[in-house]
Amino acid sequence: MHIAGVQTVLPDHRYEQAEITEAFSRLTECDEELLKRFHAATGVQGRNLALPLDGYAKLDSFARANDAYVEAALDLAEQAMRGALKKSGMRPEKIDHLVLCSTTGLATPSLDARLAQRVGLRPDVKRVPVFGLGCAAGASGLSRLHDYLRGWPDHVAMLVCVELCSLTIQRDDTSIANLIASGLFGDGAAAVVATGRGHGPEVVATRSKVYPGTEHLMGWDVGERGFRIVLDAELTGFVEQVLAADIKRFLADYGLTPDQVPTWVCHPGGPKVIEKIVDTLGIPPRALDLTWRSLREHGNMSSVSVLHVLQQTRGRSGAPAVLMALGPGFSAELLLLHW
């Protein structure tokens, strides 16, 4: 599979972290000094949000938040799809297979059905809407496109990820997990056009890993007010214990070691997770400069983030690259690329 075009689109409402901290403190009546400490620890300097800051006070129910999700998600995803098509030089009617991933809202008919009509995809396009993969979905979606194009190498496939994390923030939840989430997660959409044959970075191999007994580390508790964040303090330690070994085994199957990979396209899960990846793999800290930049400038956009980093990446010609993301399950998605 070759990646022919990648496009990330961010909402127009851009705020510095201090503005968001102040607004969230007013909305939740949380101690602003406490909130400042948690938000500063995320390393995020600013984010793009689905709504203007004063619009979040109106989201007093899951229904209203989800209505806002559907409206904004369709607009952002459409822009991302059109951008990726333009970059790839493909017309909408050339798309044979569409995978759409999102974990921050619900819609039936699914977003992909509505977007197919908006963008002008063929009526016989094969659609797969995916919910629940969270931050891992950008990498997992690429892997599923790779699987499809191995069977249909003359086809063209598209991945769309859209996440509006700000619309899931719970105003009555003063848990540490929610306070961290309110300072970490951002909003955006991304689309990828891929071909079985052609130009662009090539996906050589993929691997998925689900770790038993780790469901408590990351996810949602779904209640009457919507999605309540689950982020366990054990997450960083678990990444340190198991992830590096799995990445090394994956690379070893293709005759590689981490020091032979010059390009790393990593999901910016948070400062501690990024630091653990660098430390346990023994790769140069600069290898994740683009991941750090994405986190600073836009926060963790869940499944969109790794595609945003991919869009910014210029791999070394003829050299391997690793794309990776972590998500609920607890799970890891790994791809080996060749530039």
Side-chain angles (χ1 to χ4, degrees):
M1 178 184 100
H2 292 267
I3 298 170
V6 185
Q7 181 64 57
T8 305
V9 174
L10 305 173
D12 293 334
H13 311 294
R14 171 77 184 178
Y15 298 99
E16 296 305 304
Q17 184 79 313
E19 297 176 271
I20 298 174
T21 302
E22 181 183 357
F24 187 72
S25 176
R26 290 197 307 268
L27 187 66
T28 60
E29 299 183 356
C30 178
D31 178 79
E32 188 171 350
E33 291 305 313
L34 177 65
L35 203 59
K36 284 180 179 178
R37 291 202 296 272
F38 280 115
H39 283 196
T42 65
V44 178
Q45 297 176 355
R47 285 173 283 164
N48 294 68
L49 304 182
L51 302 178
L53 279 175
D54 58 8
Y56 288 87
K58 302 172 185 176
L59 305 181
D60 55 1
S61 69
F62 176 51
R64 285 194 174 89
N66 200 67
D67 286 346
Y69 162 83
V70 173
E71 181 178 357
L74 286 171
D75 288 343
L76 290 170
E78 180 182 355
Q79 292 176 56
M81 291 172 72
R82 293 188 184 281
L85 285 166
K86 183 177 181 180
K87 286 185 174 180
S88 68
M90 293 288 178
R91 301 187 306 276
E93 59 269 23
K94 291 293 291 182
I95 301 300
D96 300 286
H97 185 55
L98 174 63
V99 176
L100 186 139
C101 300
S102 186
T103 309
T104 51
L106 301 170
T108 304
S110 53
L111 296 181
D112 52 285
R114 308 181 198 198
L115 288 164
Q117 296 178 61
R118 280 197 184 200
V119 177
L121 305 190
R122 297 196 315 269
D124 66 343
V125 66
K126 303 167 188 176
R127 300 180 293 109
V128 180
V130 179
F131 176 86
L133 288 175
C135 298
S140 180
L142 288 176
S143 294
R144 302 294 75 79
L145 260 57
H146 174 65
D147 294 343
Y148 176 82
L149 290 169
R150 289 183 69 187
W152 300 93
D154 294 325
H155 283 200
V156 181
M158 174 175 272
L159 168 67
V160 180
C161 293
V162 56
E163 305 288 6
L164 304 181
C165 305
S166 68
L167 298 179
T168 70
I169 295 298
Q170 302 292 301
R171 66 178 69 187
D172 62 340
D173 181 5
T174 57
S175 67
I176 292 176
N178 193 51
L179 299 185
I180 293 172
S182 69
L184 178 62
F185 290 98
D187 299 340
V192 178
V193 174
T195 59
R197 301 184 178 95
H199 302 286
E202 181 182 7
V203 176
V204 176
T206 72
R207 184 159 299 175
S208 300
K209 181 78 174 185
V210 178
Y211 300 96
T214 59
E215 298 91 338
H216 64 286
L217 293 181
M218 180 188 296
W220 297 129
D221 278 338
V222 183
E224 60 184 21
R225 291 189 176 274
F227 302 125
R228 190 180 295 266
I229 191 73
V230 174
L231 280 177
D232 197 286
E234 297 177 13
L235 176 60
T236 304
F238 186 79
V239 168
E240 183 177 23
Q241 292 171 29
V242 302
L243 185 62
D246 284 326
I247 294 172
K248 290 175 182 177
R249 278 192 289 268
F250 175 53
L251 290 174
D253 288 345
Y254 298 92
L256 294 168
T257 57
D259 62 289
Q260 294 174 309
V261 178
T263 303
W264 295 82
V265 183
C266 295
H267 168 72
K272 292 183 179 179
V273 173
I274 299 172
E275 289 168 357
K276 290 299 180 186
I277 291 171
V278 169
D279 292 343
T280 55
L281 288 175
I283 59 179
R286 288 191 61 188
L288 298 191
D289 278 355
L290 291 176
T291 294
W292 281 111
R293 185 197 301 175
S294 182
L295 179 68
R296 284 194 307 271
E297 296 179 357
H298 306 294
N300 179 342
M301 297 181 285
S302 191
S303 65
V304 175
S305 280
V306 75
L307 302 181
H308 178 254
V309 177
L310 175 63
Q311 181 182 335
Q312 310 302 316
T313 300
R314 300 292 180 267
R316 186 184 301 172
S317 179
V322 169
L323 185 148
M324 58 180 289
L326 311 174
F330 180 70
S331 62
E333 295 286 342
L334 309 173
L335 290 88
L336 179 61
L337 309 181
H338 184 267
W339 232 262

